[in-house]
Amino acid sequence: PEPYHTSALTGEDWVIELLCGHPDHIHTSLGVSHHVFSTLITELRNAGHTNSQYVSLEEQLAIFLH
């Protein structure tokens, strides 16, 4: 079988790759469109959620959705 997860990136760099890459990639990896991901980040920030000491809120959401 051919490997599915082939990105050499991890963590925040992987999330940036998802957000800046092909729109189908974020939907395939996280199950949401770029627009939905951005809206969720905005809503979480409005609710008072922030980056942790070492992990951005975007990476935290990506981990939750993945």
Side-chain angles (χ1 to χ4, degrees):
E2 187 174 340
Y4 181 75
H5 298 286
T6 57
S7 177
L9 303 174
T10 59
E12 181 73 10
D13 291 333
W14 178 72
V15 174
I16 292 168
E17 179 183 61
L18 285 178
L19 293 173
C20 297
H22 192 282
D24 289 345
H25 193 132
I26 188 170
H27 191 270
T28 301
S29 296
L30 303 181
V32 297
S33 67
H34 185 280
H35 172 76
V36 171
F37 187 87
S38 296
T39 300
L40 285 169
I41 288 296
T42 299
E43 291 297 321
L44 288 168
R45 289 203 188 281
N46 289 342
H49 296 277
T50 61
N51 298 342
S52 70
Q53 184 175 356
Y54 298 108
V55 183
S56 70
L57 186 58
E58 290 79 5
E59 186 178 352
Q60 292 175 54
L61 179 58
I63 290 166
F64 176 77
L65 293 172
H66 192 267

